[in-house]
Amino acid sequence: AMGKDQKVSKWVWAPFSSTARNDGANFYHWVKAGVEYPDYPFARFNVHLDSVEYSEDEYSMYLANSEWTRSDTDLLMGLCRRLDLRWAVIHDRFTATPPRTIDQLQHRYYSVASRLAHVRLTLAAAGPIDPSNPISTLGTGSSSQSFNLSYESERRRQLEVAWSRSKEEEQEESDLRKELKLVEAQLRKLKKAGKGEEPGLASQPDPHDAANSLFHRPQPAAGVPYLQSARLENPVGVNGLSKTLIKKMSLVLAELEVEARPLPTKAVVDMYDHLRKSVVTLLTLQKIASKKESLLLQKKIEINRA
């Protein structure tokens, strides 16, 4: 907020002109009283492209092209100068025959500009520069690098393909990107779990040995009785099965129509242990296969990107 003793600046409605215009027109705007501008402040942004100019000898010796006439080239250079390389407008205003694509117009313009710059720099290095034909007459939009017509044509073709995609194709691409993010997130999780080791390359324990270590037949000790029914409990704890694996194993057993607690005879419990070992081995192998598939998909994506 302004203080009580702070003075309010005085503004006046003053005329101004701009060197960016060549018609001498006068306009008005609000400015602070006592402030004078030698020129309109925004006139410095009125930067135009210097024209690409060449002589008769330069054109005949260095710029002649069987696909372009001198009149077509002159028309193109004039449009580029007047329209400041606004290629969509230049293409619309270019009325010469045969019709040219934007890529062809760009290729001709940049080829002439770069060729002319190379020739003049070569001649300047061999002797004094001709003041009547300075190198600065080349357009600021020219380049010493050759215009890659094939690359630009392919880029525009791919742009047209992307522009003309249907909603179904866009949705398919969006789904693929989401799937890729999930795969990359899973790979980061696997790398973190493997302490930086490449997923899939780290040594994997034998699923059969892991299952056998979980379900082992107890050795009776003399004078110490034990119940066969105790073997029906799933091994849990630090060295046992996780809750997730137990749940998956229970679903498989239920699908096979195996009772949750069968009759605990020695033969039945031995078969029950053998079945649970097979189920745990199957689930472990499925998890390893899923990791391998994720790794394979990631490698394919990296190869396609390369």
Side-chain angles (χ1 to χ4, degrees), residues 31-39:
V31 294
K32 286 186 177 181
V35 178
E36 295 182 0
Y37 297 102
D39 190 15

Side-chain angles (χ1 to χ4, degrees), residues 157-167 169-170:
R157 187 192 67 79
Q158 293 178 358
L159 183 62
E160 287 293 334
V161 172
W163 178 260
S164 59
R165 287 180 305 178
S166 62
K167 291 184 178 180
E169 291 173 334
E170 292 182 355

Side-chain angles (χ1 to χ4, degrees), residues 104-262:
Q104 291 173 329
L105 297 179
Q106 290 178 327
H107 181 249
R108 179 58 173 167
Y109 174 81
Y110 289 116
S111 297
V112 169
S114 61
R115 175 62 174 163
L116 203 56
H118 175 73
V119 169
R120 290 179 181 176
L121 288 173
T122 303
L123 295 176
I129 299 177
D130 183 4
S132 63
N133 194 18
I135 299 176
S136 60
T137 56
L138 290 182
T140 56
S142 62
S143 172
S144 60
Q145 303 295 328
S146 298
F147 182 82
N148 193 332
L149 179 59
S150 59
Y151 173 83
E152 187 67 14
S153 299
E154 178 63 19
R155 185 187 69 83
R156 289 186 180 277
R157 187 192 67 79
Q158 293 178 358
L159 183 62
E160 287 293 334
V161 172
W163 178 260
S164 59
R165 287 180 305 178
S166 62
K167 291 184 178 180
E168 291 75 12
E169 291 173 334
E170 292 182 355
Q171 184 62 39
E172 182 181 0
E173 181 179 352
S174 177
D175 295 340
L176 289 175
R177 290 182 182 276
K178 291 180 181 179
E179 183 179 352
L180 176 60
K181 288 183 179 180
L182 293 176
V183 171
E184 291 176 344
Q186 182 67 18
L187 288 174
R188 288 193 297 268
K189 182 179 179 181
L190 293 176
K191 287 183 179 180
K192 184 177 180 181
K195 296 180 180 180
E197 294 182 353
E198 185 72 16
L201 299 181
S203 58
Q204 295 283 354
D206 190 342
H208 301 282
D209 295 339
N212 289 331
S213 63
L214 294 173
F215 301 98
H216 58 277
R217 182 183 303 175
Q219 297 296 328
V224 180
Y226 73 94
L227 300 176
Q228 295 288 346
S229 59
R231 296 172 55 191
L232 297 177
E233 300 295 332
N234 293 316
V236 295
V238 179
N239 298 323
L241 299 176
S242 64
K243 293 182 179 180
T244 303
L245 187 57
I246 291 176
K247 184 177 180 180
K248 291 181 179 180
M249 183 182 66
S250 300
L251 292 175
V252 175
L253 293 177
E255 185 178 353
L256 296 175
E257 299 181 356
V258 176
E259 296 181 8
R261 293 188 65 83

